[in-house]
Structure formats: C-alpha cells, structure tokens
Amino acid sequence: MFVLDTCAFLTQKHPDGECITVPGIKAEIVNKQSKQYYNNLLSTKLKVLKANSKSYELVIEKSKKTGDYDVLSDVDLDIISLGYETKGTIISDDFAIQNVAMELNINFLSCSGKTIAEKRLWKYKCTACNNVENIKRKDCLICGSTEIRRVKIK
C-alpha cells in the first residue's frame, strides 16, 4: 500500500498498487492537470482516509523529537500518521516527512528519486547570541533577536 503526498499528483509518478491519501491533499493540488489526475485515481484505485488521533499524537511527538514539527503542515502530519497506522510506504519528496518517517521506521520513496540517507535532528539557533532551543520561537529568550535559524545537530 502506498500513501501518496502531493508530489505524486503533481508529477503523476508513483508505484503501481493500492494507493491511499488524506483529505487535505485535495486542497494542495492547484493545477488543472494534477486535479484531473487526482480525480481519475479517485474514481479507480485511490482511497481517501484519515489516521486515528493516537497515530497523529505519536507523529507529533516524534516530529518534535527530530525538530521537524515546525516545518510540517497539518497535511504532512496526516500523511505520516496514515503511513504509520497502515504500515504503508509514504511517497513524498518532502525531506521533513521522510525524516519523521525514518524516525518511526516507516518505509518511504520519492517521486523525484531524491531521498534522505540518514535521520537528522534539528534545533533552533539565535544568530545574534547563539542560544539554541528545541522548539522554534518568534524571538530569542536570551537576547530578544528575531533571527532564529533551523540548524542540524546530527
């Protein structure tokens, strides 16, 4: 079973087989050709499902652990949750989705062929005073600067 992210509809590239996606994907598909492809799949072999809240909560917890939570949309979290719950293979070009999938031992593939090779851990660093935090903030707790950057720690 393959859990399709937006890239699968935009590129029309994904493995053959049983395909599922989440309700929010439809809103992310903006061009006419991709919408038509989505509708064609929906009428044949695509199922739209939503994971349960326990899977969603686990994905949020793990995405906070890896430092990816602040760059993932609700749809991204839904995709990962559905992949976790169904033990499906996630099809996504999004490196943050792939990173959390790797943390949860979920198999993933890419529409473009580009995948991460190793799990990464991220933190947020103030560029003014170098203070490092686990979560993204609007401003630094130490100096008040708003120049906060996501940095790789592993």
Side-chain angles (χ1 to χ4, degrees):
M1 176 179 316
F2 299 101
V3 182
L4 305 182
D5 191 12
T6 309
C7 74
F9 304 104
L10 298 178
T11 64
Q12 299 181 17
K13 291 181 181 177
H14 56 83
D16 284 334
E18 186 179 354
C19 297
I20 59 176
T21 195
V22 297
I25 285 291
K26 188 174 183 178
E28 291 190 353
I29 302 169
V30 292
N31 69 49
K32 186 177 178 180
Q33 207 172 19
S34 299
K35 284 181 183 180
Q36 184 62 49
Y37 187 71
Y38 172 85
N39 288 327
N40 288 347
L41 278 181
L42 194 57
S43 68
T44 56
K45 63 180 179 179
L46 179 67
K47 293 179 186 166
V48 179
L49 304 171
K50 185 148 175 77
N52 69 45
S53 59
K54 285 187 179 184
S55 297
Y56 194 78
E57 289 165 12
L58 178 66
V59 167
I60 289 172
E61 176 190 325
K62 295 297 184 180
S63 66
K64 286 181 178 179
K65 177 183 174 191
T66 63
D68 291 300
Y69 178 75
D70 292 307
V71 298
L72 292 169
S73 69
D74 288 341
V75 172
D76 295 339
L77 294 168
D78 284 343
I79 288 287
I80 301 165
S81 301
L82 190 57
Y84 176 77
E85 192 170 297
T86 62
K87 296 179 177 38
T89 298
I90 293 176
I91 310 299
S92 179
D93 284 343
D94 187 315
F95 290 162
I97 288 177
Q98 293 177 12
N99 199 46
V100 177
M102 190 176 280
E103 173 69 19
L104 289 161
N105 295 315
I106 301 170
N107 292 327
F108 58 87
L109 296 169
S110 167
C111 299
S112 67
K114 295 179 182 176
T115 59
I116 61 172
E118 63 183 14
K119 183 175 64 177
R120 297 215 170 153
L121 299 177
W122 302 92
K123 299 233 182 211
Y124 295 88
K125 182 178 179 180
C126 173
T127 60
C129 73
N130 293 324
N131 178 50
V132 177
E133 297 286 338
N134 289 331
I135 58 169
K136 187 173 183 178
R137 308 184 64 82
K138 286 184 181 180
D139 53 8
C140 178
L141 289 173
I142 305 301
C143 72
S145 172
T146 58
E147 295 296 318
I148 312 293
R149 300 282 183 255
R150 188 171 180 233
V151 294
K152 180 177 82 161
I153 60 164
K154 178 185 172 194

